[in-house]
Amino acid sequence: MTTTTKQLTLESRLVQTGVGRDERTGGISFPIYPSATYRHPAVGASTGYDYTRSGNPTRQLLEETLADLEGGARGLAFASGMAALTTLFLHFSAGDHLLVSQDLYGGTYRVLDQVFGKFGLAASYVDTTDPAAVAAAIRPESKALLVETPGNPLLGVADLAALGALCRRHDLLFIVDNTFLTPVLQRPFDFGADVTVYSATKYLGGHSDLLAGALVARTPELGERLYFLQNSTGGTLPPQDCWLLLRSLKTLPLRLERHCASALEIAHWLQEHPRVRTVYYPGLANHPGHQLSRRQASGFGGMLSFRVDTAATARQVLERIRVISFAESLGGVESLLTLPAVQTHGDIPEGERQRLGICDSLLRLSVGIESACDIIGDLEQALA
Ligand SMILES: *Cc1c(COP(=O)(O)O)cnc(C)c1O
């Protein structure tokens, strides 16, 4: 990246990503390099690329863009969010203990519980919206804290500054899964995070047509260690998908503006509906994390959940929606509605789900960028 583009705003830098970087052609779009391997100019010499698991020009541009977007030393692109998380967990050893948000992506719980548990990596699930509860769960063998904020699916807000200070005091690696807000709305490194995790399948990709993940390390040392793990285990993002994600990132700030504005409008509308019991959205003034969210993020995001009167109503809504799709996932331009208790959080044991409040009448809406009035119209007829 040239010095002139460095001085631009984040929005402009994203749009300008790769422009003119292909010096031979001056291409506005940076090309896809599908080559798995590279010819060496001489013995002991390299073009800088030897083998695509270790480095690929298209992935390199994406990884540099991710690092720049986050303000970190190193970005790494993976074949999925789970591949990114798995690689990150491989940083730890048997006997280590992790503190993890209880309001967590179901797949992260599953891989820790059913895969890493077997290898002796222990995890405790704590209410990260309560720093005292996190402090109380720290053990001598605790090595890291993994936080998702806002949480999933109840959108609880964790105090990043307080947790960052706690991690520093106890020498814990501070990991933030920033999938829901992205660096455009929330900047974990400003609060002491060491590494951020993304399911780029969600907002970064943004079109429900790409599975991808990312890690961004704040320091070069941690970046080097995570790169070693990425290259050793091979969960890298293919060049074609790197290109698609690069294209998606150009419109990320613009998309988020619309996601946020529509989510707030829809949350207000849902709050007034007689069959809706509770709306969980940090942008609502009555949300417990509202003030905190205003302080640590520049937007409330496009995710909201709501509890309807009965499980039967929830089923009715899922069967009747026409504009919104009944589907898992989130963060795409298309609105998606899901039933967390059965779908995204189906792997969390029933008792634990009940305790967390993930009941059969809870619906999670990923607000797309269709007109808010069309999304509201669809919910209105589905709830009637
Ligand atoms: C989807 C998701 C993941 C997993 O990412 P994949 O791309 O589906 O592998 C991890 N964390 C959060 C918060 C997610 O929403």
Side-chain angles (χ1 to χ4, degrees), residues 80-82 85 105 108 148 152 177 179-180 199 201-202 211-212 330:
S80 69
M82 289 321 301
L85 280 159
Y105 179 69
T108 309
E148 269 183 42
N152 181 6
D177 183 331
T179 295
F180 271 34
S199 169
T201 312
K202 315 297 169 55
L211 198 71
L330 60 110

Side-chain angles (χ1 to χ4, degrees), residues 133-322:
V134 179
I138 296 174
R139 302 182 192 165
E141 64 275 21
S142 298
K143 288 293 186 314
L145 169 65
L146 165 60
V147 177
E148 269 183 42
T149 183
N152 181 6
L154 295 172
L155 288 305
V157 180
D159 186 335
L160 290 175
L163 295 175
L166 188 71
C167 287
R168 262 196 314 282
R169 275 201 304 281
H170 294 271
D171 201 20
L172 301 175
L173 194 78
F174 186 19
I175 306 164
V176 178
D177 183 331
N178 201 26
T179 295
F180 271 34
L181 291 183
T182 84
V184 173
L185 300 177
Q186 178 166 271
R187 311 196 58 79
F189 291 165
D190 291 349
F191 304 99
D194 297 295
V195 56
T196 52
V197 187
Y198 294 91
S199 169
T201 312
K202 315 297 169 55
Y203 289 99
L204 302 186
H207 296 71
S208 310
D209 57 5
L210 166 71
L211 198 71
L215 295 177
V216 183
R218 185 165 49 82
T219 65
E221 296 72 28
L222 184 60
E224 197 53 41
R225 164 76 176 154
L226 295 176
Y227 168 72
F228 166 80
L229 292 168
Q230 180 198 40
N231 187 38
S232 301
T233 57
T236 52
L237 188 64
Q240 289 82 355
D241 289 343
C242 290
W243 178 84
L244 193 54
L245 184 50
L246 276 164
R247 195 183 66 163
S248 295
L249 288 173
K250 295 187 177 220
T251 56
L252 176 65
L254 198 59
R255 284 186 278 114
L256 281 168
E257 238 176 79
R258 178 66 160 258
H259 286 298
C260 291
S262 295
L264 185 63
E265 193 176 333
I266 294 162
H268 280 302
W269 181 84
L270 282 168
Q271 250 187 336
E272 300 304 319
H273 198 283
R275 296 181 79 177
V276 174
R277 291 285 172 265
T278 318
V279 181
Y280 303 88
Y281 184 63
L284 293 173
N286 64 1
H287 185 282
H290 179 67
Q291 289 306 332
L292 179 56
S293 192
R294 292 182 80 103
R295 284 202 301 277
Q296 70 184 19
S298 59
F300 306 109
M303 294 301 298
L304 62 88
S305 291
F306 57 104
R307 212 156 43 76
V308 291
D309 50 4
T310 63
T313 301
R315 267 199 308 280
Q316 173 193 312
V317 170
L318 291 168
E319 281 161 13
R320 287 194 189 168
I321 43 175
R322 295 286 171 267

